Amino acid sequence: MKNKIILIGGGGHCKVVIDAIDLSGKFDIYGIVDPALKKDSKVLGVTVIGKDDILPDIFKKVKYAFITVGSIGNCEIRKKIYSNLNKIGFKLPVIAHPKSVIAKDVIANIGEGTFIAAGAIVNPGIVIGKNAIINTKASVDHDCTIGDFVHIAPGVTLSGVVKVGNETHIGTGANIIQCVAIGKNCIIGAGITVRKDMKNGKKNIHNS
Ligand code: JB2
């Protein structure tokens, strides 16, 4: 029998994760909690069963949870949910779409609650933190290091040996040249090419 899993947040990102879980066949999705959605409404056929306050009760029956809030540009919601799930005792698996490519040596080096979407390529020597999102068709070359809660948006390319600090967001289609080190809490805009290191908290949202 498959383990059951509860999903936290029922918006756009949740749909992408539901599809990956269904196709991977690894979990039975028990339901979604979301404070803004109507109880008993459905997201891709999965029922919204209530708000986060029911999670301690759900934990009596369901031991796995996954954060399906993407929260672009701000990790605070995901961090808050992560800490609540940990406190309750839920296990957060790594979920990877079956059509992502993940190097064999990396599988043991991906933090709990991380999502790897369809078409993403994760090459050897990479280390990924907890609750990171490697989104659709992102390409991460060898020996990169990706921190906790990082969002690598669709179509991003990281060349080899790039470092990305915790909680940094890299916008759709951005390119990071090899060996560049990006600090914590940085924001890189869509389509930007980053050729130089970025210090913690820096924004790079205009190509110049
Ligand atoms: O504390 C919370 C909470 N805060 C927001 N607990 C729970 N259980 N749910 C929460 N939410 C819910 O997350 C909101 O009520 C909303 O239904 C959902 C966020 O949906 P939205 O479609 O606005 O964004 P998203 O985070 O699913 O997706 C964003 O990030 C992805 C990575 C979008 O920008 C996507 O386009 C992007 N691919």
Side-chain angles (χ1 to χ4, degrees):
M1 218 174 74
K2 286 186 221 168
N3 286 308
K4 298 188 194 81
I5 192 163
I6 179 88
L7 306 183
I8 321 300
H13 186 57
C14 182
K15 291 182 185 170
V16 179
V17 178
I18 289 172
D19 191 53
I21 293 174
D22 281 349
L23 289 170
S24 74
K26 290 198 179 140
F27 289 96
D28 277 330
I29 303 175
Y30 185 79
I32 295 167
V33 291
D34 191 312
L37 297 181
K38 245 177 120 183
K39 192 166 181 279
D40 296 326
S41 62
K42 305 244 184 216
V43 178
L44 282 189
V46 179
T47 308
V48 176
I49 57 174
K51 306 182 198 326
D52 297 35
D53 59 355
I54 64 169
L55 286 170
D57 235 29
I58 299 288
F59 184 64
K60 293 174 190 154
K61 301 169 266 198
V62 179
K63 300 301 172 198
Y64 288 85
F66 202 77
I67 302 169
T68 44
V69 178
S71 64
I72 289 195
N74 175 1
C75 296
E76 292 311 311
I77 301 171
R78 283 201 274 134
K79 280 169 63 186
K80 182 196 78 184
I81 296 171
Y82 178 86
S83 125
N84 187 35
L85 294 176
N86 257 325
K87 217 180 330 163
I88 297 169
F90 282 105
K91 291 183 227 172
L92 280 73
V94 170
I95 302 231
H97 191 287
K99 293 216 166 153
S100 57
V101 176
I102 304 174
K104 202 161 94 181
D105 70 309
V106 177
I107 292 164
N109 295 326
I110 304 178
E112 60 175 0
T114 281
F115 178 64
I116 302 186
I121 299 176
V122 177
N123 272 343
I126 293 167
V127 177
I128 306 178
K130 61 191 183 192
N131 190 224
I133 300 171
I134 312 296
N135 226 324
T136 310
K137 219 174 161 217
S139 171
V140 185
D141 203 1
H142 68 93
D143 300 308
C144 288
T145 307
I146 296 174
D148 301 336
F149 303 107
V150 164
H151 179 221
I152 309 277
V156 167
T157 301
L158 301 191
S159 298
V161 205
V162 163
K163 288 193 171 62
V164 182
N166 295 343
E167 300 172 37
T168 280
H169 289 256
I170 305 186
T172 304
N175 297 294
I176 319 298
I177 301 306
Q178 66 194 51
C179 300
V180 163
I182 295 164
K184 297 178 189 174
N185 275 304
C186 291
I187 295 185
I188 295 167
I192 298 284
T193 297
V194 181
R195 300 172 192 278
K196 291 187 203 150
D197 293 357
M198 284 172 64
K199 293 203 170 122
N200 295 344
K202 290 287 173 200
K203 280 188 185 172
N204 187 344
I205 52 174
H206 299 294
N207 263 322
S208 54

